[in-house]
């Protein structure tokens, strides 16, 4: 099998992992070295595939041979997919050639589990070590970590990587037991805890050395960890996903939790029949996640016991506002910043701008237009100098009807009509908000 | 009324602006124009005032300098007058808080220009594609890229490329100017035409193979792709030539997957590690939800 054939199999095998971040690495570059590479600024998306996802890293598996039998996964042992295996040297060569042509920011390496967790982890580490030590590569490296690998190996992986990740895959242990019998939430959390401790420790050690102006070589370790959950493969509610995300952000300071709609694979499992990917649901989860991380929403504010799933028709911020009408309208000239964050249609950036602006003069509708605030959405929920909505001018259900799309445009359904342009436009409009600035 | 003609970069504008300010020249009395290749703007230009040696040092906030440095690259030439107006307000108008006034229309225009230029800077870093050029004498690899920036951003982006690709020789060719790195020094030469740049690289077959395989046909979002990678860049991106083909084939691929027979389970292989996992599960069982 030649390199191209292997690459096609092992990239195809890796594409269901949504993580693409290449930002937040420690500042380093190739100025003093013999190699190439730099990280430390914002990550760069070097290309986009027609699925709208960015291509920023060479995302491949070392091998798609796997002992595990995760039913959502194309590489599980029960799948008849063609198997291939890269040598560590081949991955190194590919990474460097792609990097030098400015196709990528670095490497995202994962692997099927062969022989044992430690054996596999050692192979993955070997690639990173060769890149860093033999080729002086200063680009971004993201390594997939196996929770059952020995702590020494996880520590070594972290030494070479900018980011480590372990996918929890599903929010609850009972789902894993059914769909990914070799995986375990408890062990994953333990490993995340170890990684988090290492990250914190390294930051402290480096700070200490800087403080003492020591010339000793500073320890290096990945600057962050992330994870992914598959949406729509099991019966978990959105509240389960968000609770798990809240758990991981809170306890282990994860940089990102990715949500990946369970998407058809060419090798369906008898345990898990294929469906169209729930893209809208995935998008709503990202929005809710965004609210937790940047808008100070609590996990339990986003869903409720009566409706454990997010509203698919309207975004979770608007949905919260409609459930909490007593909080509104909020006066943008008097309320604290955290309250401005609650106004539907007003993003973090504009909320901060308003706070700065109101030191100069009372904020008017004209000001908001200049700031390009989405007035249609914000007006029923806020007060400014020349705008004062009557308290319950429109009922929550009337407001909901105003913003919700006609119900037929919701899910992409492969079994029915081909995707219409209206549906797509809708999705892009929503997805664009998330990808570009996360304001809604 | 004074007509001031400058080279289109930040330093030139700063020198002129400081001199004008020293003469207390009001913004409405200055007509700014940048010199371009044809040399007009020079024709009716007034002599640039000279900054008197005893002129008081002008202090402006760092944020303003950063804004000015970036918008200086805007191709329109409309930034110079706006920048001078803001500078005037801050110094002679004594309005030092003007920068935090987010609704000042001149600042809004400058901010929008900054966003446009920043995006262009970012897209250049993303979409430059180096192609290897084989030469006999050099032991280092040589790479050449062709790029068509919207704004005059080659010099702003030079440090980025120098730091990232220090270990190889490279050139980035553009219609405005070209930048070269030989492992120790940056040099600039005049802009060139696209035909000067290499038109292929054997690695591109692998890159296209990767692009094809990483695409998930079950989540087609064409508009999303185009928002981030507008069509105007496609002509210089090797992977863009297969976009059409991937989109057309996606429906069929998905249909094939949906009609695929479900695969039965294979027996658990005999493996010591899997056996160990089983034992661990038994231990973990009691408190899987310890959080």
């Amino acid at each position: 099998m030649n390199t191209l054939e292997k690459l096609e199999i092992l990239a195809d095998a890796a594409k269901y992992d949504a993580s693409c971040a290449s930002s937040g690495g420690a500042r380093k570059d190739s100025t003093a070295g013999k190699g190439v590479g730099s990280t430390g600024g914002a990550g760069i998306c070097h290309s986009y595939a027609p699925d709208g996802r960015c291509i920023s890293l060479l995302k491949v598996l070392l091998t798609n041979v796997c002992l595990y039998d995760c039913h959502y996964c194309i590489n599980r042992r029960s799948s008849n997919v063609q198997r291939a295996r890269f040598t560590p040297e081949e991955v190194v060569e590919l990474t460097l050639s792609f990097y030098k042509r400015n196709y990528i920011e670095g490497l995202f390496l994962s692997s099927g589990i062969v022989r044992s967790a430690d054996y596999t982890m050692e192979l993955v580490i070997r690639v990173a070590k060769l890149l860093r030590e033999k080729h002086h590569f200063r680009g971004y490296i993201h390594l997939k970590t196996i929770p059952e690998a020995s702590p020494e190996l996880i520590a070594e992986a972290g030494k070479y990587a900018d980011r480590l990740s372990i996918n929890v895959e599903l929010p609850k242990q009972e789902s894993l037991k059914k769909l990914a019998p070799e995986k375990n939430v408890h062990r994953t959390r333990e490993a995340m805890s170890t990684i988090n401790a290492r990250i914190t420790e390294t930051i402290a050690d480096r700070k200490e050395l800087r403080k003492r102006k020591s010339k000793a070589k500073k320890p290096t370790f990945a600057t962050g960890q992330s994870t992914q959950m598959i949406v729509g493969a099991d019966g978990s509610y959105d509240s389960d996903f968000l609770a798990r995300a809240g758990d991981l952000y809170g306890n282990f300071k994860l940089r990102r939790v990715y949500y990946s709609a369970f998407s058809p694979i060419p090798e369906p499992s008898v345990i898990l029949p294929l469906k169209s990917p729930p893209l809208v649901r995935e998008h709503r989860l990202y929005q809710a996640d965004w609210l937790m991380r940047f808008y100070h929403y609590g996990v339990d504010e986003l869903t409720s016991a009566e409706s454990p799933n997010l509203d698919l028709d309207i975004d979770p911020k608007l949905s919260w506002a409609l459930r909490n009408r007593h909080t509104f309208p909020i006066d943008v000239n008097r309320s604290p910043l955290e309250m401005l964050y609650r106004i539907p249609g007003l993003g973090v950036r504009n909320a901060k701008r308003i706070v700065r602006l109101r030191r100069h003069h009372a904020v008017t509708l004209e000001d908001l237009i200049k700031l390009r605030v989405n007035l249609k959405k914000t007006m029923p929920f806020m007060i400014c100098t020349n705008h004062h909505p009557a308290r319950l001018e429109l009922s929550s259900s009337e407001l909901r009807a105003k913003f919700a799309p006609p119900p037929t445009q919701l899910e992409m359904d492969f079994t029915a009509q081909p995707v219409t342009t209206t549906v797509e436009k809708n999705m892009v409009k929503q997805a664009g908000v998330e990808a570009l600035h996360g304001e809604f | 009324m004074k007509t001031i003609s400058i080279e289109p970069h930040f330093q030139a504008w700063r020198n002129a602006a400081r001199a004008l300010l020293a003469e207390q020249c009001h913004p409405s009395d200055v007509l700014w124009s940048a010199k371009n290749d044809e040399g007009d703007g020079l024709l009716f230009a007034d002599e640039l005032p000279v900054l008197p040696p005893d002129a008081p040092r002008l202090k402006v906030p760092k944020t303003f300098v950063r804004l000015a440095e970036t918008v200086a690259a805007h191709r329109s030439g409309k930034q110079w007058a706006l920048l001078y107006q803001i500078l005037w307000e801050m110094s002679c108008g004594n309005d030092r808080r003007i920068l935090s006034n987010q609704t000042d229309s001149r600042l809004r225009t400058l901010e929008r220009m900054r966003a446009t230029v920043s995006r262009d800077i970012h897209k250049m870093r993303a979409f430059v594609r180096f192609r290897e050029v084989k030469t006999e004498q050099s032991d280092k690899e040589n790479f050449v890229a062709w790029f068509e920036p919207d704004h005059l951003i080659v010099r702003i982006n030079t440090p980025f490329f120098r730091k990232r690709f220090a270990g190889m020789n490279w050139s980035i060719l553009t219609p405005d100017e070209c930048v070269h790195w030989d492992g120790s020094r940056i040099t600039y030469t005049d802009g060139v035409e696209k035909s000067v740049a290499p038109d292929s690289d054997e690695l591109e077959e692998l890159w296209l193979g990767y692009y094809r395989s990483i695409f998930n046909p079950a989540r087609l979002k064409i508009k999303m792709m185009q928002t981030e990678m507008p069509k105007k860049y496609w002509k210089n991106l090797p992977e863009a030539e297969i976009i059409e083909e991937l989109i057309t084939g996606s429906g069929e691929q998905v249909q094939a997957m949906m009609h695929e027979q479900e695969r039965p389970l294979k027996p658990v292989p005999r493996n010591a590690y899997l056996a160990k996992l089983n034992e661990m599960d038994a231990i973990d069982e009691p408190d899987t939800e310890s959080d």
Side-chain angles (χ1 to χ4, degrees), chain B residues 162-204:
Chain B
R162 181 173 47 73
K163 285 181 193 158
R164 174 159 289 199
F165 298 109
M168 60 193 219
N169 294 343
W170 52 264
S171 297
I172 300 172
L173 315 180
T174 86
D176 303 310
E177 65 179 332
C178 306
V179 52
H180 316 270
W181 168 255
D182 64 359
S184 56
R185 222 162 51 94
I186 286 284
T187 45
Y188 294 98
T189 55
D190 288 344
V192 293
E193 279 177 21
K194 185 177 179 175
S195 57
V196 180
D199 60 358
S200 66
D201 183 313
E202 52 186 50
L203 242 292
E204 281 168 14

Side-chain angles (χ1 to χ4, degrees), chain A residues 374-420:
Chain A
N374 177 352
L375 282 188
K376 188 182 159 216
K377 207 161 183 181
T378 49
M379 277 175 74
F381 301 99
M382 60 102 188
I383 295 169
C384 64
T385 298
N386 47 355
H387 168 69
H388 200 298
R391 192 168 174 86
L392 287 170
E393 193 172 70
L394 288 170
S395 73
S396 287
S397 56
E398 279 169 317
L399 275 171
R400 191 178 183 289
K402 202 172 144 192
F403 293 111
T408 46
Q409 298 189 1
L410 276 177
E411 290 285 325
M412 283 202 207
D413 186 359
F414 295 131
T415 50
Q417 296 290 311
V419 182
T420 66

Side-chain angles (χ1 to χ4, degrees), chain B residues 231-247:
Chain B
K231 275 194 165 164
K232 67 177 175 189
Y233 294 107
W234 290 16
K235 61 179 187 291
N236 294 322
L237 293 170
E239 65 270 29
E241 71 180 57
I242 58 169
I243 289 176
E244 199 60 52
E245 159 202 328
L246 292 180
I247 295 171

